[in-house]
């Protein structure tokens, strides 16, 4: 028997040091992971609050006139407000972007019977955009085709931040005036209205994803990520059925 074994040192040196070091390191890593998760949750929550309370609760008329107006489909109130702005002379033409292929010009005009004459002269319908990315692409094509330098953007208040990021990315040199439609959702009611909270949370996550995506791509028309998100091209190819008219 070796002297160390006789004195009991072998057992002490072999079994008492290495495991505590490993356990201490594991606990430390778990602690860092837990605190990092809590910090991310708090950061995300406060970011959500900042997003919600930055949204407009009431509609305000644009302070200046523009060359054109773009209304993104998704609610009848958006189109009605855009038509009203056009009728009051805030711009020369209106683009309604993302119209369903089964919806005709006459059907839309019947929703606004007092302004049907405007549809004959000053309203263009975009049947190609499939989502907000496509809206931005078609807005760029429309603005460039008409030589516009300033446009008014009409969409829901909760949808406006994401829309502006997409448009700033696709049209960085064009002046954009937001006109948020606040008739459908009061963002300050999120904490006592589960439906509102769900919509705002979903939109906040989409906004973060769009902000991140646009940091790393040059053009939405050539973006593989935009195509993946859209399940294909975010804006369909022009043809007889989908041409802006």
């Amino acid at each position: 028997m070796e002297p160390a074994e006789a004195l009991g040192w072998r057992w002490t040196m072999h079994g008492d040091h290495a495991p505590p070091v490993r356990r201490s390191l594991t606990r430390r890593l778990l602690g860092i992971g837990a605190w990092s998760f809590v910090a991310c949750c708090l950061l995300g929550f406060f970011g959500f609050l900042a997003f919600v309370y930055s949204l407009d609760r009431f509609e305000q008329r644009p302070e200046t006139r523009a060359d054109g107006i773009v209304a993104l489909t998704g609610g009848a109130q958006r189109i009605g407000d855009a038509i009203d702005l056009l009728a009051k002379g805030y711009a020369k033409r209106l683009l309604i972007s993302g119209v369903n292929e089964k919806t005709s010009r006459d059907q839309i005009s019947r929703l606004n019977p007092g302004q049907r004459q405007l549809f004959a002269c000053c309203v263009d319908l975009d049947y190609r955009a499939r989502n907000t990315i496509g809206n931005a692409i078609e807005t760029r094509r429309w603005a460039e085709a008409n030589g516009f330098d300033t446009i008014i953007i009409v969409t829901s208040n909760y949808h406006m931040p994401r829309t502006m990021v997409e448009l700033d990315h696709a049209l960085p040199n064009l002046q954009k005036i937001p006109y948020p439609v606040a008739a459908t959702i009061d963002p300050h009611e999120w904490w006592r209205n589960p439906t509102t909270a769900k919509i705002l949370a979903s939109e906040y996550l989409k906004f973060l994803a769009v902000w991140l995506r646009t940091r790393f791509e040059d053009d939405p028309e050539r973006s593989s990520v935009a195509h993946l998100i859209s399940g294909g091209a975010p804006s369909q190819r022009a043809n007889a059925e989908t041409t802006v008219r």
Side-chain angles (χ1 to χ4, degrees):
M1 178 181 296
E2 295 182 6
E5 292 179 348
L7 294 173
W9 296 350
R10 171 82 57 165
W11 178 85
T12 301
M13 295 174 66
H14 178 73
D16 199 35
H17 292 290
V21 171
R22 287 197 296 270
R23 287 197 296 269
S24 177
L25 179 61
T26 301
R27 285 196 297 267
R28 191 174 305 169
L29 291 175
L30 288 174
I32 292 173
W35 280 110
S36 298
F37 176 75
V38 171
C40 288
C41 289
L42 288 174
L43 184 63
F45 178 68
F46 285 118
F48 171 74
L49 292 181
F51 173 81
V52 167
Y53 289 101
S54 70
L55 301 177
D56 291 295
R57 300 180 67 192
F58 307 101
E59 296 170 13
Q60 296 182 356
R61 296 293 179 183
E63 296 181 357
T64 61
R65 301 184 186 277
D67 297 320
I69 302 169
V70 178
L72 279 61
T73 55
Q77 185 67 36
R78 302 179 188 181
I79 298 175
D81 283 4
I83 289 289
D84 187 50
L85 290 174
L86 182 66
K88 292 182 177 179
Y90 278 93
K92 298 177 288 187
R93 294 196 71 80
L94 164 65
L95 171 68
I96 302 176
S97 179
V99 179
N100 189 292
E101 294 181 8
K102 298 180 181 179
T103 304
S104 68
R105 176 183 292 271
D106 188 58
Q107 287 175 308
I108 297 176
S109 66
R110 283 202 299 268
L111 297 174
N112 303 271
Q115 309 295 345
R116 296 189 70 172
Q117 73 282 358
L118 290 174
F119 280 84
C121 71
C122 310
V123 177
D124 299 311
L125 304 182
D126 157 41
Y127 288 88
R128 292 181 286 190
R130 302 174 63 183
N131 51 27
T132 308
I133 306 171
N135 293 141
I137 293 171
E138 292 305 322
T139 297
R140 177 170 65 184
R141 293 171 177 170
W142 180 75
E144 290 177 349
N146 288 281
F148 290 162
D149 297 315
T150 309
I151 55 175
I152 297 171
I153 308 301
V154 181
T155 190
S156 300
N157 54 354
Y158 61 89
H159 186 231
M160 186 62 76
R162 179 159 59 103
T163 299
M164 294 302 290
V165 172
E166 291 285 9
L167 288 171
D168 285 339
H169 179 56
L171 286 159
N173 299 319
L174 190 84
Q175 183 182 355
K176 294 163 283 290
I177 303 170
Y179 180 81
V181 177
T184 55
I185 285 183
D186 182 351
H188 291 193
E189 295 293 315
W190 70 272
W191 58 276
R192 58 183 178 186
N193 188 323
T195 301
T196 297
K198 182 179 179 180
I199 292 173
L200 292 176
S202 175
E203 193 61 36
Y204 173 61
L205 293 176
K206 291 177 183 178
F207 167 78
L208 293 178
V210 167
W211 185 88
L212 184 64
R213 192 199 87 239
T214 55
R215 303 281 79 79
F216 296 97
E217 69 178 20
D218 296 326
D219 191 317
E221 289 195 67
R222 298 192 298 269
S223 168
S224 58
V225 177
H227 281 242
L228 180 64
I229 293 172
S230 306
S235 184
Q236 301 172 16
R237 293 287 183 181
N239 55 48
E241 296 295 326
T242 61
T243 303
V244 174
R245 53 189 183 273

